[in-house]
Amino acid sequence: MIKNIVSAVLISFNVSVFCQETLVSFQNDLKTSSSDIKDVIPVVNTETDEIAFFVADAKNVYGYKIDANFKVSEKISSEEKRRKFKVIIGSSASKDDSYRVFLTNKNQTDFASVRFSFKDGSTSLKEFSIDKNETFIQTVVSKNKFYLIAGSRLHNSLSIYTFNENGDPQKNNINVTDLRFIDTKGKNKNLTSLLVEGDDLNKFEENTPNSIELTSEFRKMFVRDHTILITLDHHKMFTQVLQIDLNTLLATSFQFRKPKLGEKAKRTNSYLNGDYLFTLATTKNEFTVEILDFETGNLVKEYSATKNDSITFKNTPIMQEGGLLDSYRELGKTKRFLGRIANGNTGLSVRKVKNRYHLTIGGYIVQNTGGGMMMPFGGIPIGSIGAVTVFFNPTQIAFNSFTNNKTTRIESLLDTDFNHIQGEIEENAFDKMKEFKSKNKGGTVFKYKDFFIKARYNSSSKDFNFKKFTD
């Protein structure tokens, strides 16, 4: 018996070690002050596979360039840091071995960029502005270039700012006057109003684990093939999509019809993965998931269950997690599952992993701790450690999104033809990272090629450690 237990422990240990490996360790030797680290900013150069890793304390910024073989090849130190620019909104990489980090102030009214040149060891800060009648919406980094999206509610206008090698902005007007969007009641509504109302617009990376807390939002932005795709789910019967081609800066719009059940549903939602849009509608009595071809809108597959059915296409129990006591429960009946998700914020997330689709379907209720509502993303405010903002590093946002809110969910596995298949849900990269938590400031998580990197900092030795994690 003891022999079996030891064997099981060794197998578990070997699997854990195999799933993560140290890519690089280096000392933050440019830092001589005793002040705490405020931000770490990973910038991946998608053309050279290099990583520019910037570390900021109260006064200075220290930069380390890590080559494609995960060796620290160059270093740079800068005092170019202005207190009013606290929110990191994006980055860009140039062919002249320089990197630029873009920032804004707390009110998102003033902007600046800091250029770091590893070639000549120089840094420089440049301030810029957008039109006074415009509201800052979101940013995009694609093919190493930075794009800033802004809009005017007054004129229902949308613009994208591009930047040259010197960091100078150029405003590009996006023609949206002929695009029709509707509000919750089906009446025409200005696109810009839909984009700027409520909370900030979140970005989602393809096949990154995302919690129901994130995916239950009505507005989502995806970037693929140098194209921006913004999905809007505030209408119960339609998913509305804004598409902007970054090559031509032309905008188009289209709609997808949600499950018919949406007419009775309190909440509906959708999630985009690859060539397919996954839609969800739920009531207290039943729920439906439809998979639509993103090019044609045609229905590819449908799954549904009523409160009296067993959910035959799930690969997990009905799980309830979180809450004030951080408890875990399994709910036996579909009726209880529907009762939980229909009363909360409902959503689904989809990842394609190892040639299978992994669906998470559920809802969550924001917990009241007595001191007010819980903050999203684990209580981490904008501009805090690890550059956690809704504008920069969506991987870190996704990692932090698994909060203490009470979440009810099921998980399912589908093959490439969207037929349900049996099998256990394997740990994803984020699950494996939990064993490597650190309380030291200066840690972050970011995506590199087709895997994830967790950076940890040891404040005593001033060492950074990059570990690789895969699903």
Side-chain angles (χ1 to χ4, degrees), residues 219-282:
R219 302 178 306 159
K220 306 178 186 72
M221 187 174 85
F222 305 83
V223 180
R224 57 168 66 163
D225 300 326
H226 216 45
T227 299
I228 300 170
L229 293 163
I230 297 175
T231 60
L232 304 169
D233 280 297
H234 53 273
H235 194 282
K236 293 198 300 181
M237 291 306 301
F238 298 98
T239 295
Q240 302 175 81
V241 181
L242 170 67
Q243 177 176 290
I244 303 175
D245 186 327
L246 290 173
N247 292 308
T248 62
L249 294 177
L250 295 177
T252 53
S253 65
F254 38 94
Q255 293 181 340
F256 293 89
R257 191 166 186 87
K258 293 178 182 175
K260 190 175 180 181
L261 179 64
E263 294 175 357
K264 306 181 226 177
K266 291 177 64 177
R267 302 275 295 190
T268 63
N269 220 313
S270 71
Y271 195 85
L272 180 62
N273 183 283
D275 298 325
Y276 302 94
L277 183 73
F278 296 73
T279 61
L280 168 69
T282 180

Side-chain angles (χ1 to χ4, degrees), residues 338-352:
L338 292 173
R340 298 292 194 280
I341 69 172
N343 286 325
N345 300 299
T346 306
L348 73 166
S349 65
V350 183
R351 296 189 307 135
K352 191 175 183 182

Side-chain angles (χ1 to χ4, degrees), residues 229-390:
L229 293 163
I230 297 175
T231 60
L232 304 169
D233 280 297
H234 53 273
H235 194 282
K236 293 198 300 181
M237 291 306 301
F238 298 98
T239 295
Q240 302 175 81
V241 181
L242 170 67
Q243 177 176 290
I244 303 175
D245 186 327
L246 290 173
N247 292 308
T248 62
L249 294 177
L250 295 177
T252 53
S253 65
F254 38 94
Q255 293 181 340
F256 293 89
R257 191 166 186 87
K258 293 178 182 175
K260 190 175 180 181
L261 179 64
E263 294 175 357
K264 306 181 226 177
K266 291 177 64 177
R267 302 275 295 190
T268 63
N269 220 313
S270 71
Y271 195 85
L272 180 62
N273 183 283
D275 298 325
Y276 302 94
L277 183 73
F278 296 73
T279 61
L280 168 69
T282 180
T283 70
K284 289 184 178 181
N285 297 315
E286 58 185 315
F287 77 103
T288 300
V289 175
E290 290 185 352
I291 304 168
L292 308 177
D293 186 298
F294 193 69
E295 289 295 321
T296 65
N298 293 337
L299 177 65
V300 178
K301 198 79 173 181
E302 177 184 21
Y303 288 96
S304 62
T306 71
K307 65 180 181 180
N308 297 319
D309 298 330
S310 59
I311 304 173
T312 58
F313 51 90
K314 63 181 174 65
N315 292 68
T316 64
I318 300 170
M319 297 174 286
Q320 180 177 290
E321 292 182 299
L324 302 182
L325 301 178
D326 195 22
S327 58
Y328 172 88
R329 296 175 59 196
E330 293 183 3
L331 309 179
K333 296 184 178 180
T334 305
K335 180 180 179 179
R336 299 184 69 188
F337 172 68
L338 292 173
R340 298 292 194 280
I341 69 172
N343 286 325
N345 300 299
T346 306
L348 73 166
S349 65
V350 183
R351 296 189 307 135
K352 191 175 183 182
V353 183
K354 299 177 182 177
N355 219 29
R356 300 186 298 182
Y357 289 94
H358 175 194
L359 277 66
T360 302
I361 306 162
Y364 82 97
I365 299 173
V366 177
Q367 296 296 291
N368 192 322
T369 60
M373 303 300 281
M374 289 187 64
M375 292 182 65
F377 317 133
I380 297 177
I382 283 179
S384 70
I385 301 306
V388 182
T389 81
V390 298

Side-chain angles (χ1 to χ4, degrees), residues 94 96 100 102 113 115 124 126 163-169:
S94 300
D96 63 355
R100 193 175 291 273
F102 293 82
S113 67
R115 178 180 179 269
S124 59
K126 175 171 286 189
F163 297 81
N164 61 20
E165 291 294 317
N166 296 321
D168 301 315

Side-chain angles (χ1 to χ4, degrees), residues 393-412:
N393 196 359
T395 301
Q396 180 76 62
I397 286 287
F399 181 71
N400 286 339
S401 70
F402 295 86
T403 69
N404 196 42
N405 291 318
K406 184 177 287 187
T407 303
T408 305
R409 73 183 194 278
I410 58 171
E411 300 184 34
S412 300

